[in-house]
Amino acid sequence: MRRDRHGRVGGLQARLLLIIVVGAVLFALAAGALAYQLGHQRAIANSRATLLGLAQAVEKTLAIGTFAADVVLVREVVDGLARNPLIASVQVRTTDGKTLWQHPRADGAEEALALDASDRLELVQPLFSPFDEKERLGELLIHANALRVTAAANREALTLAAMMIGQVALVALLLYGVTALLVSRPIIRLARQLHDMPPGTTQRLDTPARHRNDEIGTLIVGANALLDANAVALRRERELRSEIEAMEAQYRHIFDSSSAGIFVLDEEGHLINSNPTVSKVVGMSLASMKDLTRDNFIERVFGQPAQVRAMMEESARTGDTVSGDLELVQRGDGRRWVHCLISVHTAAGISEPAARAVTTEGVMYDVTERKTAETAVRYQAEHDALTGLRNRAASHATIDRFISEGRAGGSPVSLLCIDLDGFKQINDRHGHDAGDQVLVACAQRMKSAVRRSTDLVGRLGGDEFVVALRDVGTADTALVAAADNLLAGLCAPITLSSGLQVQVGASIGIACAPHHGEDREALLEMADAGMYEVKRTGKNNYAMGLPSPPAQGEGS
């Protein structure tokens, strides 16, 4: 009998034995009880038949003795019946109730009749006249010995029940033995053989001759077929695993050696995986990159995290890859840029939105050189090479933007057109180099005179300049303050590299949107008109363009 590693009885054979034993015990108990009941009833019936036979044997004799009132004859018959061990008492009485004879006598009769009515077995045999069968003379009463009858019935019933139980036990043992021999042992042997076979083995199960055409043989054939299929599947799996490992190694090499930085983020923005190029591109050590698995990658790496999140939201909404140039967090003096492709993926097969796993895949290329070159080209295209101020085209585009934003927000914009007075004489007398130094100095003074860097200071050409002030109107004191500062700075002496001091003046014309016009052309025309009016009336001053009356400052 098999036992598991804990010492408990297990296995199909043990369960079969348990079922057979339990079933046999239950069946034996039921069959034994039935056999006992039948045996007891049969013994009682036999005892009754014996008493009936004895009563019928002495019926004629007792009828003659009763007819003749021969007490001696009746006594001898009664005493003879009483000698039978099954009989407890015998009584003969007439129809009028008179007892002719009784055995045992009255003192013993009460003892014989003291048994419970359910345990007494009695027989009443009527006695008829020997000359007239219809004349009843009396009756013969026989009381059986209940103890002896019951004991005999019990012995017979127990014998029959024991035989029945023994037969059930023998059948159960035979059934178990046959089952163990024909079913359990072959199955156990097959199970052990299968257990001892290594995976992928070419060994197969042998089919015993006596089982080739039965269910065990069918089981062995099926098991061998399964082993064959398993061997084929295992060989194919090994081949696939080898191919996958080669592909993984190739992809890992590509992943690690790629010139592009590749990273994967979870829904919280934590770094799941990245290749070494990411560390080089973002300028962080591999040890610092490990910290990004617990920190927000977007906040730590990108200079404009909101722009990255907007790209992620667009990718999640459209399901497409979103690309764009992104500035990295500045490390050192130089600005660094990457071109980044972002794709947001949601794990398939998850129906609940709260349970969906969202990952963000990103690919980044270092485009710092390109962006630097683009910035330089754009700067050269938009700025004056000498002064560094916005050139005419860039100044016009910036003024248009200021006016458009002001119109949308309901805020004013002021334009100041500036022309240097006396610049031509310095340029003619001291040379172009001196003139260039004057222009550079004036440009720096104009940039210092405006309120903030968001305002425009541009060079329209030669010694003509323009200043655009955002959110400043005709009634704002900031406009007068800016004009005064510009005039004071431009009229101050300028020291050339040769040590010579020179001085220029300035004529400034002012126009404000929307008071003087709704577009750049109208404002420039108004400001130019104001500037020429200043030149005509004495220079070194500023004036508001018509139709508004001139806004004169000190010295106007």
Side-chain angles (χ1 to χ4, degrees):
M1 188 176 298
R2 293 180 57 195
R3 293 178 180 270
D4 61 16
R5 60 179 181 175
H6 301 293
R8 297 174 298 195
V9 177
L12 180 61
Q13 186 174 352
R15 292 198 295 272
L16 176 62
L17 175 60
L18 180 62
I19 292 172
I20 290 176
V21 169
V22 173
V25 169
L26 295 177
F27 184 75
L29 291 176
L34 180 61
Y36 180 86
Q37 184 69 22
L38 293 176
H40 191 276
Q41 294 176 358
R42 179 181 175 183
I44 295 296
N46 289 338
S47 298
R48 185 179 295 275
T50 300
L51 294 178
L52 181 59
L54 292 174
Q56 291 176 350
V58 300
E59 176 187 0
K60 297 297 183 182
T61 305
L62 288 177
I64 295 172
T66 302
F67 182 79
D70 188 348
V71 178
V72 175
L73 178 59
V74 173
R75 182 183 64 186
E76 289 179 355
V77 174
V78 170
D79 290 343
L81 288 174
R83 292 189 184 96
N84 192 302
L86 293 178
I87 297 176
S89 65
V90 182
Q91 183 182 16
V92 178
R93 58 189 179 186
T94 61
T95 54
D96 57 1
K98 179 181 179 182
T99 300
L100 294 179
W101 190 257
Q102 178 177 326
H103 184 90
R105 290 181 173 81
D107 54 351
E110 294 179 1
E111 182 180 352
L113 298 176
L115 296 173
D116 198 326
S118 61
D119 294 332
R120 291 203 303 265
L121 179 59
E122 60 182 21
L123 178 65
V124 179
Q125 182 66 33
L127 301 176
F128 295 95
S129 172
F131 304 105
D132 186 0
E133 293 181 355
K134 295 183 179 180
E135 182 183 358
R136 183 169 180 171
L137 302 176
E139 57 186 6
L140 170 64
L141 280 76
I142 301 177
H143 293 276
N145 190 332
L147 297 178
R148 289 181 177 273
V149 172
T150 302
N154 289 340
R155 284 194 299 272
E156 184 174 352
L158 289 174
T159 301
L160 184 58
M163 291 176 61
M164 182 65 71
I165 293 174
Q167 183 179 3
V168 170
L170 289 175
V171 172
L173 290 176
L174 179 61
L175 176 61
Y176 172 73
V178 171
T179 304
L181 179 62
L182 297 180
V183 179
S184 299
R185 289 184 181 179
I187 291 177
I188 292 173
R189 184 170 60 253
L190 292 177
R192 288 175 179 172
Q193 291 178 3
L194 287 172
H195 181 271
D196 294 338
M197 287 183 181
T201 182
T202 57
Q203 181 183 355
R204 294 296 178 263
L205 300 174
D206 296 329
T207 305
R210 66 176 181 274
H211 291 302
R212 287 179 181 172
N213 298 320
D214 60 13
E215 288 78 359
I216 298 297
T218 303
L219 177 62
I220 294 175
V221 172
N224 286 333
L226 180 60
L227 289 173
D228 292 337
N230 184 57
V232 173
L234 185 60
R235 183 171 61 254
R236 180 56 181 161
E237 181 182 355
R238 288 172 179 170
E239 294 173 355
L240 290 176
R241 185 182 297 114
S242 178
E243 295 176 2
I244 291 173
E245 289 175 355
M247 294 174 63
E248 286 181 350
Q250 182 179 4
Y251 291 146
R252 173 55 64 179
H253 176 72
I254 295 173
F255 181 78
D256 291 339
S257 61
S258 173
S259 60
I262 304 172
F263 60 89
V264 182
L265 309 179
D266 63 13
E267 192 171 6
E268 302 297 328
H270 300 155
L271 183 65
I272 299 176
N273 193 14
S274 65
N275 65 351
T277 306
V278 174
S279 174
K280 298 177 183 178
V281 172
V282 302
M284 298 177 65
S285 65
L286 294 177
S288 299
M289 291 292 294
K290 292 181 179 179
D291 295 337
L292 297 182
T293 59
R294 301 180 299 273
D295 202 351
N296 192 291
F297 181 86
I298 299 173
E299 298 286 346
R300 290 280 302 276
V301 171
F302 295 102
Q304 302 293 332
Q307 183 180 357
V308 182
R309 293 193 185 94
M311 294 172 63
M312 293 170 60
E313 291 174 0
E314 181 179 355
S315 176
R317 184 179 65 257
T318 62
D320 297 329
T321 299
V322 180
S323 62
D325 291 340
L326 301 174
E327 185 177 3
L328 300 178
V329 171
Q330 185 169 340
R331 302 181 190 279
D333 297 333
R335 299 174 65 185
R336 293 169 304 124
W337 294 80
V338 294
H339 182 73
C340 193
L341 291 83
I342 291 180
S343 300
V344 179
H345 301 280
T346 302
I350 303 178
S351 58
E352 293 295 332
R356 292 177 182 172
V358 179
T359 58
T360 300
E361 298 177 3
V363 179
M364 59 171 59
Y365 301 88
D366 190 340
V367 294
T368 301
E369 293 184 4
R370 174 174 66 80
K371 291 292 292 186
T372 302
E374 290 178 355
T375 301
V377 171
R378 186 181 302 111
Y379 184 88
Q380 293 175 1
E382 295 180 354
H383 291 76
D384 177 56
L386 175 63
T387 62
L389 300 179
R390 297 286 181 93
N391 57 22
R392 176 183 291 272
S395 297
H396 286 177
T398 302
I399 293 171
D400 289 339
R401 179 166 58 85
F402 284 1
I403 293 174
S404 176
E405 293 174 354
R407 185 183 302 113
S411 58
V413 177
S414 295
L415 241 61
L416 292 82
C417 287
I418 304 170
D419 187 80
L420 299 182
D421 297 326
F423 172 75
K424 185 176 184 303
Q425 291 80 355
I426 296 175
N427 198 42
D428 293 340
R429 182 180 303 175
H430 302 288
H432 294 292
D433 184 62
D436 290 346
Q437 293 183 45
V438 171
L439 292 175
V440 171
C442 289
Q444 294 299 323
R445 292 179 181 183
M446 283 187 285
K447 290 175 65 176
S448 300
V450 298
R451 298 173 305 159
R452 54 190 181 273
S453 59
T454 55
D455 292 334
L456 168 68
V457 178
R459 182 186 179 191
L460 299 181
D463 59 350
E464 296 181 7
F465 299 87
V466 65
V467 173
L469 304 177
R470 303 176 68 180
D471 303 324
V472 175
T474 56
D476 292 325
T477 58
L479 177 60
V480 176
D484 288 337
N485 291 337
L486 287 170
L487 193 61
L490 293 174
C491 292
I494 299 173
T495 303
L496 303 178
S497 59
S498 61
L500 180 67
Q501 281 193 345
V502 295
Q503 188 172 8
V504 295
S507 298
I508 303 174
I510 304 173
C512 299
H515 183 72
H516 294 108
E518 295 287 343
D519 53 39
R520 170 175 48 83
E521 290 80 2
L523 293 179
L524 288 176
E525 184 178 355
M526 282 292 179
D528 279 342
M531 180 188 67
Y532 285 116
E533 178 66 21
V534 171
K535 283 184 174 293
R536 189 181 63 81
T537 57
K539 303 180 181 180
N540 291 335
N541 208 339
Y542 58 87
M544 189 78 68
L546 297 175
S548 297
Q552 300 293 334
E554 294 180 1
S556 58

